[in-house]
Structure formats: structure tokens, C-alpha cells
Amino acid sequence: LEDSFQAYYWIINHCQTQLNISPRTVLLTGDSAGGNLVMSITLRAVHSKIRVPDGLLLVYPALSTSSNNFVPSQLVSLDDILLRYQNLELLMKAYSNAPDAPEDPYFNPSIIEDRDLLKFPTTRMVISGRDALRDECYKLLHRLVKLNKNAYLKEFRHFPHGTLSLDIPGMHPECKYVSSDCAAWLKELVAIHEQEINLRLSLIHISEPTRPRLISYAVFCLKKK
């Protein structure tokens, strides 16, 4: 989180002078553990009183890292091919190694207070129907809607966790629809903020913990016109 936020902070505050790029629209997007980081970076921006992203795209995000917080969708992990219960438990322990981590919204975005969520930007979520992380996404959507935030969610039923990683030759051809919908919503987030797609800066933050031997990785991508 600290590394990701420092990168975000540097881009927001120094890309004008160092890269000659003026950030008019800033979007954050992340899948799985990356969704967790996107929520945490946005919360840190709110608390630090710096520029908050103009839009968020969360793809099957890990919103709760507390092993004591049970939701019915976690039962999927009992026979899930990718995110099995043992792996899910291991990841939760890795996130909540500190004693107070379950009560820390930076580790556990599901407990972000409403007064902070009110300062969050337009949010879109893409989730999988057969995913242990599914129910927490609906809980977040419900909270955002109650706060009158611009938030929508799309569920791909019968799809597993990590669907974006399956959009490759030889895998499920239907996964391309997930990728195309994510791209469409990114364009929509730009249009909502700018009224026209004339993007000066696009900040893309992607993290995927399902790669072999890697817990997560992050990519920051700058595009200039």
C-alpha cells in the first residue's frame, strides 16, 4: 500500500513538472488484490486531502481481509479451482498479519466509514458469480447507493475468480466479454468526468495475485496525447 500510494502521490503532484503531463482525468482500476489497493489508495488520498481519483473500476476486488467476517459466497472456495479455501485463508493471513489489521480500513476496505465513502468518486464493479469475494462487492454497492453515489455493478454468472487472466488463447472465449466490458466502463468513467473523451492522463493500476509464484504486481501506465 505504501509503495502504491507513494507512486500515486508522485504522479498527482509531480508529473506536471517532471513529465510535462497535466492530469485532467485520473482513473484507478484493479482486480482482486488490486481492487483492495485501489480502495486503500483512494481512502489514503481522502485522509491526506490530496486529489482523489476521478473514477474507480473494481474487478472482483478483495474487500474484506478478516477471517472472522463470513459471507455465503465464501463457500464457493470449498471447490473452487483457482481460489480454494486454503489459498483464500493464506492470503487473508498474509494481509492481516498485524494484530489490528481486521480493524484497519486500509487493510480491510469493507469497514471504510460512510463519511469517507461519501468522498469516493464514481465507481464501477465487475464481479464473477462463482467467486468467494462476490458478496462483499454487493455489500459495498448497497452502501454506495444508499449514500447516493454513482455506482454500478455487473456480475458475470458462472464465471470464476480471476476471469481477466483467462482471456487468453485456448481458454474460455466468453472471458473476452469481461475484458471488453471493463474497457467500455473505463471509457464511460472518462466521459462522465470530461463529457468528451480527450484523455490527457490515464492512471491504470492493475494487480493480479493469481500468477504463479507471485502474490501481486502493479503497473502504472501513463498515456499522453
Side-chain angles (χ1 to χ4, degrees):
L1 169 60
E2 294 298 333
D3 291 341
S4 299
F5 179 73
Q6 287 177 29
Y8 175 81
Y9 182 90
W10 188 92
I11 291 172
I12 293 299
N13 290 281
H14 301 293
C15 67
Q16 172 84 51
T17 57
Q18 301 297 321
L19 302 176
N20 195 29
I21 296 177
S22 177
R24 190 166 70 189
T25 299
V26 178
L27 307 178
L28 286 183
T29 177
D31 65 307
S32 195
N36 180 287
L37 285 172
V38 165
M39 292 290 289
S40 300
I41 291 170
T42 306
L43 180 62
R44 180 64 64 87
V46 169
H47 288 169
S48 302
K49 294 181 172 55
I50 66 169
R51 178 175 177 174
V52 175
D54 302 304
L56 306 180
L57 174 61
L58 307 172
V59 186
Y60 38 81
L63 298 175
S64 175
T65 57
S66 172
S67 58
N68 297 323
N69 183 28
F70 173 80
V71 290
S73 63
Q74 290 179 358
L75 294 174
V76 173
S77 66
L78 294 177
D79 63 352
D80 190 273
I81 297 176
L82 189 62
L83 194 60
R84 298 190 66 83
Y85 172 76
Q86 295 88 339
N87 296 335
L88 185 62
E89 185 179 34
L90 180 63
L91 291 170
M92 284 186 174
K93 287 181 178 179
Y95 261 87
S96 58
N97 192 32
D100 57 345
E103 289 76 42
D104 188 338
Y106 290 124
F107 288 97
N108 189 3
S110 66
I111 62 171
I112 293 176
E113 296 183 7
D114 284 353
R115 62 182 180 182
D116 292 325
L117 280 181
L118 277 169
K119 300 175 183 177
F120 271 50
T122 300
T123 301
R124 299 290 182 264
M125 284 185 279
V126 176
I127 66 173
S128 301
R130 284 193 53 79
D131 188 349
L133 309 183
R134 170 184 175 273
D135 289 354
E136 287 292 344
C137 298
Y138 275 106
K139 289 169 66 175
L140 174 61
L141 177 70
H142 178 67
R143 293 182 62 196
L144 290 171
V145 170
K146 283 186 64 177
L147 295 171
N148 294 316
K149 303 298 294 183
N150 185 339
Y152 288 93
L153 179 150
K154 184 168 187 177
E155 176 183 335
F156 285 84
R157 301 188 67 183
H158 311 302
F159 277 47
H161 184 81
T163 301
L164 283 179
S165 298
L166 303 180
D167 185 16
I168 57 177
M171 297 300 289
H172 301 287
E174 295 85 358
C175 293
K176 65 182 179 182
Y177 298 114
V178 181
S179 301
S180 61
D181 276 18
C182 287
W185 262 355
L186 283 173
K187 292 179 180 179
E188 181 196 37
L189 289 171
V190 172
I192 288 173
H193 184 249
E194 299 198 3
Q195 300 304 314
E196 61 180 9
I197 302 178
N198 182 22
L199 194 59
R200 289 186 184 176
L201 170 64
S202 175
L203 172 59
I204 311 293
H205 178 194
I206 306 171
S207 181
E208 177 50 62
T210 58
R211 307 280 179 168
R213 298 181 298 279
L214 290 178
I215 295 178
S216 64
Y217 68 90
V219 176
F220 289 89
C221 178
L222 294 175
K223 295 181 180 179
K224 181 180 177 182
K225 277 192 175 182

